[in-house]
């Protein structure tokens, strides 16, 4: 278990909280976000740090969370914004709605040039990878959350949840516990409570091995993304590729090309698009041909040149602010 000084050194080394650079910290009042706020205060500097606390309207003790965040920010002389959301706008997956609403709200509050910092930890990374691996096929499941996605940064991805708690205790920082984190009603909580302990019973380095594998795959993904970019013409989000060029590629590259075009078309990850790559490659080379793909994407070929576009029924990008990353 690392001490607070070691964690400061590790987070400084990520370069995600540079001194003097403005940052908006997503502050829930839990141990991870409290740890993050203190680190941002120390590393970026008190004059450039702001905090945002969001009440999703899902917890009866939300007022106590808000009061705790207000006290903490007052002690640090950090400006705090608070926004209250209406959960009646949620449809279906409440956790998915809360996640999307949180990032969309942060984008509205963040100033130009201001980073948005989230307190996701290494423990969250492991749980996210395992959940995605179980819930959907594809390499994205194994890549996990990226340290930076646009202006969203995750400085604590190299810090375990137990370490954020130890950091707060060493620094004398109080935090709030969210009872929903223990509820087995949520799939991610079941991963945390059941799957991770089972893997640790198989091998004590299970979590470290998952994280190391994800890091290797992210490095390899950058190489593959470079290969895909070299095959495409034009500029995002309207890149294209001649069908003859697509058909000449190995199946794995065809899948990556179709997925990249689909993601760009809707401004977010478009799950399942790559699985239709062979059908896309068979589109007619003359005139206009189209094929509807999952996630609100339409593949369109004009005189042998393939591109993708968003269908009218596609969800807006704002509903998926952590494209390429976050849970």
């Amino acid at each position: 278990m690392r001490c607070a000084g070691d964690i400061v050194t590790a987070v400084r080394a990520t370069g995600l909280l540079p001194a003097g650079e403005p940052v908006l910290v997503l502050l829930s009042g839990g141990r991870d976000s409290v740890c993050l706020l203190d680190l941002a205060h120390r590393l970026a500097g008190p004059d450039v740090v702001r905090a945002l606390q969001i009440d999703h309207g899902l917890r009866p003790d939300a007022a106590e969370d808000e009061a705790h965040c207000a006290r903490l920010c007052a002690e640090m002389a950090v400006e705090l914004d608070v926004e209250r959301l209406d959960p009646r706008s949620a449809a279906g997956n409440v956790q998915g709605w809360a996640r999307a609403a949180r990032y969309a709200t942060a984008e509205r509050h963040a100033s130009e040039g201001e980073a948005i910092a989230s307190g996701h930890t290494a423990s969250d990374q492991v749980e996210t990878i395992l959940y995605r691996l179980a819930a959907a096929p594809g390499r994205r499941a194994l890549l996990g959350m990226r340290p930076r996605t646009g202006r969203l940064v995750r400085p604590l991805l190299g810090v375990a949840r137990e370490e954020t708690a130890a950091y707060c205790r060493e620094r004398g920082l109080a935090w709030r516990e969210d009872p929903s984190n223990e509820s087995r009603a949520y799939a991610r909580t079941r991963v945390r409570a059941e799957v991770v302990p089972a893997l640790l019973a198989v091998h004590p380095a299970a979590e470290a091995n998952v994280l190391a594998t994800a890091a290797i795959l992210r490095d390899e993904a950058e190489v593959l993304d470079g290969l895909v970019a070299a095959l495409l013409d034009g500029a995002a989000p309207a890149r294209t590729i001649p069908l003859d060029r697509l058909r000449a590629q190995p199946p794995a590259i065809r899948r990556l090309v179709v997925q990249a075009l689909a993601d760009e078309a809707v401004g977010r990850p478009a799950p399942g698009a790559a699985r239709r790559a062979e059908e896309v490659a068979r589109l007619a080379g003359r005139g206009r041909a189209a094929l509807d793909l999952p996630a609100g994407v339409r593949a369109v070929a004009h005189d042998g040149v393939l591109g993708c576009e968003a269908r009218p029924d596609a969800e807006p990008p704002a509903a998926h602010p952590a494209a390429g990353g976050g849970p």
Side-chain angles (χ1 to χ4, degrees):
M1 184 78 69
R2 290 177 293 185
C3 68
D6 292 336
I7 292 174
V8 170
T9 299
V11 173
R12 180 185 286 114
T14 68
L16 297 175
L17 294 174
E21 294 293 323
V23 58
L24 178 67
V25 175
L26 298 181
L27 180 66
S28 68
R31 71 182 81 177
D32 301 335
S33 68
V34 169
C35 173
L36 175 61
L37 181 65
D38 190 67
L39 285 165
H41 191 268
R42 298 173 71 180
L43 295 176
D47 296 334
V48 295
V49 176
R50 298 192 304 128
L52 172 63
Q53 198 260 338
I54 301 172
D55 175 7
H56 296 89
L58 300 173
R59 295 181 57 192
D61 55 351
E64 297 174 32
D65 293 341
E66 182 180 329
H68 176 75
C69 291
R71 286 193 298 271
L72 180 65
C73 289
E75 292 170 1
M76 293 187 184
V78 168
E79 177 186 337
L80 173 66
D81 290 344
V82 177
E83 182 150 338
R84 299 172 185 85
L85 305 180
D86 185 353
R88 289 176 295 181
S89 62
N93 184 341
V94 174
Q95 283 197 321
W97 165 82
R99 183 169 57 252
R102 179 165 60 252
Y103 291 121
T105 301
E107 287 287 348
R108 290 198 306 271
H109 280 261
S111 303
E112 184 177 354
E114 188 174 41
I116 299 170
S118 177
H120 290 114
T121 65
S123 306
D124 294 314
Q125 182 78 294
V126 171
E127 293 159 9
T128 296
I129 291 169
L130 295 174
Y131 170 78
R132 289 179 179 173
L133 187 60
R139 69 181 185 128
R140 181 174 284 119
L142 292 171
L143 298 179
M145 296 177 283
R146 297 182 183 274
R148 180 186 292 277
T149 306
R151 69 155 113 188
L152 176 66
V153 297
R154 299 179 174 96
L156 300 183
L157 281 184
V159 182
R161 187 176 296 124
E162 293 77 10
E163 290 182 309
T164 64
Y167 178 97
C168 289
R169 284 193 290 267
E170 185 175 336
R171 296 278 294 167
L173 300 168
W175 69 82
R176 297 270 299 164
E177 293 288 356
D178 182 352
S180 67
N181 289 334
E182 304 301 324
S183 172
R184 302 297 175 91
Y186 300 115
R188 291 177 185 272
T189 306
R190 295 196 295 275
V191 170
R192 178 182 306 163
E194 301 170 16
V195 178
V196 173
L199 290 176
L200 290 172
V202 172
H203 197 288
E207 289 181 297
N209 290 336
V210 169
L211 293 172
T213 299
I216 292 170
L217 292 176
R218 282 196 297 275
D219 285 345
E220 294 175 354
E222 290 186 9
V223 176
L224 292 172
D225 291 344
L227 292 176
V228 169
L231 291 171
L232 297 177
D233 298 328
R239 293 190 293 179
T240 60
I241 185 171
L243 280 169
D244 288 345
R245 188 187 300 163
L246 178 67
R247 293 166 182 155
Q249 304 308 312
I253 298 297
R254 286 199 292 267
R255 291 195 298 270
L256 292 174
V257 167
V258 170
Q259 189 65 59
L261 294 176
D263 291 349
E264 290 177 2
V266 290
R268 56 175 170 79
R275 295 199 293 274
R276 307 288 296 278
E278 297 308 306
E279 295 173 74
V280 171
R282 290 195 295 268
L283 286 173
R286 291 185 178 182
R288 184 184 188 278
L291 177 67
D292 283 354
L293 305 178
V297 178
R298 178 170 292 147
V300 181
H302 286 283
D303 294 327
V305 177
L306 174 72
C308 284
E309 61 186 33
R311 299 199 310 262
D313 60 338
E315 294 181 50
H320 301 267

